[in-house]
Amino acid sequence: MAFQVKTSILSNSDGSAELIIGGTKVLVSISGPIEPKIRQELPNQASLDIIIRPYKGLSTTREKLLEDKLRQLLQSIIIRYKYPRQLIQIVVQFLIIDEIEEFTCNELNAAINCCYFALIDADLALYSSFVSVVACINSGNLLLNPPGDILINSDSHHVICYNIENQKANKLLFLESDGEFTEETLFTILAKTVSEAETLHQEQRKIIQAKIENDYIWK
């Protein structure tokens, strides 16, 4: 499944990206490094402020849980020691979703992948590239990037994020699983999603290359 991405779409932020993957559309804006409030300041590294806004209504504990998961991942990706005593604020706004409230995997997957493009647009230092994939087991079959109506009937669903080095997925950064599955099934899912992650990374490279050519070459 390919990404549909637009970057630098918000003029009042340091980095921004809009991504469509499957039936989910999300907008991410990044401000920073900026001066933090005293309670947010860390002496040796940047602090992260993650804000997730639902596609309708007000944020609830559901969005707070997504914020915690996204923070857990991005803390290990952004080279925060380069920005001591600073704040990096990341705002995620969902525009379209295709899953019911009991599920968050497609939203989390879209947020992770959109954050990658927004971080690149903001020119923040990263340890490596990263890409996220959703997988589910439905009636014994493994499906990648399933739509919301398939998730409802799935036996289990998984959000898997890999770091990418030398165009290879060589390290598991994040794994969120729900449902009933065996250890053998999980290892099968991880084996299958590696190739999908590497394919999606090739899409990332094409998008970033086009962005660089548009922003800097012959300008």
Side-chain angles (χ1 to χ4, degrees):
M1 181 176 291
F3 297 124
Q4 298 180 48
V5 179
K6 296 178 182 178
T7 58
S8 302
I9 60 175
L10 299 177
S11 58
N12 60 345
S13 65
D14 295 300
S16 60
E18 181 184 85
L19 177 141
I20 300 174
I21 181 169
T24 304
K25 183 178 182 180
V26 63
L27 173 66
V28 172
S29 67
I30 295 180
S31 299
I34 57 178
E35 184 176 351
K37 297 179 181 178
I38 294 178
R39 62 181 175 80
Q40 296 173 309
E41 186 177 297
L42 298 176
N44 299 318
Q45 60 186 349
S47 55
L48 290 183
D49 184 20
I50 311 290
I51 301 171
I52 291 186
R53 295 172 177 162
Y55 81 106
K56 67 176 182 180
L58 301 175
S59 296
T60 64
T61 53
R62 181 179 186 273
E63 283 68 42
K64 294 300 180 183
L65 181 60
L66 284 174
E67 289 173 7
D68 289 342
K69 293 174 182 178
L70 194 57
R71 183 181 298 105
Q72 175 188 342
L73 171 65
L74 296 182
Q75 282 179 342
S76 66
I77 288 292
I78 301 171
I79 307 178
R80 294 190 294 148
Y81 71 81
K82 285 183 173 288
Y83 315 105
R85 305 179 69 180
Q86 297 294 300
L87 172 69
I88 298 171
Q89 185 179 72
I90 301 174
V91 179
V92 179
Q93 172 69 64
F94 290 105
L95 304 175
I96 301 173
I97 64 171
D98 74 336
E99 58 189 352
I100 60 177
E101 287 189 0
E102 286 76 6
F103 295 86
T104 60
C105 56
N106 279 346
E107 289 168 73
L108 180 58
N109 177 63
I112 292 171
N113 286 313
C114 194
C115 279
Y116 172 76
F117 293 106
L119 289 167
I120 295 294
D121 191 50
D123 199 25
L124 290 172
L126 307 178
Y127 285 107
S128 67
S129 296
F130 59 97
V131 66
S132 175
V133 181
V134 174
C136 80
I137 301 296
N138 186 32
S139 300
N141 298 316
L142 172 60
L143 303 176
L144 298 177
N145 301 306
D149 56 345
I150 298 296
L151 287 173
I152 294 174
N153 299 313
S154 64
D155 300 318
S156 67
H157 52 272
H158 314 261
V159 180
I160 306 139
C161 182
Y162 297 95
N163 85 320
I164 305 292
E165 293 182 2
N166 299 319
Q167 302 185 47
K168 297 293 183 181
N170 63 354
K171 182 180 179 182
L172 182 64
L173 295 176
F174 179 86
L175 173 61
E176 173 75 8
S177 299
D178 192 18
E180 297 183 1
F181 56 94
T182 64
E183 182 178 345
E184 181 181 358
T185 299
L186 180 59
F187 284 128
T188 299
I189 291 170
L190 293 175
K192 295 291 186 181
T193 52
V194 165
S195 59
E196 175 70 7
E198 292 173 353
T199 299
L200 288 174
H201 176 61
Q202 294 304 315
E203 292 291 327
Q204 288 179 332
R205 288 173 60 86
K206 291 177 183 178
I207 293 167
I208 297 303
Q209 182 179 357
K211 172 180 171 55
I212 292 173
E213 291 175 353
N214 182 64
D215 289 352
Y216 298 108
I217 296 180
W218 313 120
K219 195 166 185 179

